[in-house]
Amino acid sequence: MKESEEMSKAFEAVAGVRKEVDKLSERVAALEVVVNSGTKVANEEFDVSAELLMRELLKLDGIEAEGEAKLQRKAEVRRVQNFHDTLDKLKTRNSNPFIDKHNAVKVATNWETFDSGMGSLTAPPPTSSSTNVTRDWERFDD
């Protein structure tokens, strides 16, 4: 009986968090529409949304659950993490609009190659040296 009561509390707690995350998901979707349209958004919008998602994540961490309730909690944690990742990507795209892959320009570069062996997996052939190595060392007195 006590297990059933605890599981019921866990289900209710996860459902409460899910309801809040649903509201936050609408906020993330709205930010996505605005950023994708090319409109600049204040960084505080992303920061506040991320903070609210993290609070919900902390609530989920505080829920003790077993069985099906634990699976629901785990699924909700993943959902919150995915929204957080989306916010991070949107914030990056918002701060640097050139990162947007849809509007990116590809540039092909043809690099000049040299026959010196540089950049090759095989070593260049040895060359003769003008330095003559001897063992006749000069000694100095202190």
Side-chain angles (χ1 to χ4, degrees), residues 48-105:
V48 168
S49 298
E51 178 65 29
L52 293 171
L53 282 169
M54 294 310 289
R55 287 182 185 184
E56 296 307 313
L57 196 58
L58 288 172
K59 287 180 190 176
L60 288 167
D61 285 345
I63 298 172
E64 292 185 28
E66 295 296 326
E68 181 63 30
K70 186 175 184 176
L71 293 175
Q72 285 188 11
R73 182 188 71 197
K74 191 173 185 178
E76 202 60 32
V77 165
R78 284 194 192 117
R79 187 169 170 236
V80 170
Q81 289 170 336
N82 287 336
F83 285 130
H84 198 276
D85 290 344
T86 301
L87 275 176
D88 284 344
K89 289 174 187 171
L90 289 172
K91 185 176 181 180
T92 301
R93 193 178 313 150
N94 183 62
S95 64
N96 187 358
F98 297 111
I99 290 178
D100 187 6
K101 294 177 184 172
H102 301 293
N103 296 331
V105 176

Side-chain angles (χ1 to χ4, degrees), residues 14-27:
V14 171
V17 171
R18 185 179 301 117
K19 186 176 178 183
E20 290 301 314
V21 173
D22 287 342
K23 292 177 190 174
L24 292 171
S25 72
E26 292 172 11
R27 186 175 180 145

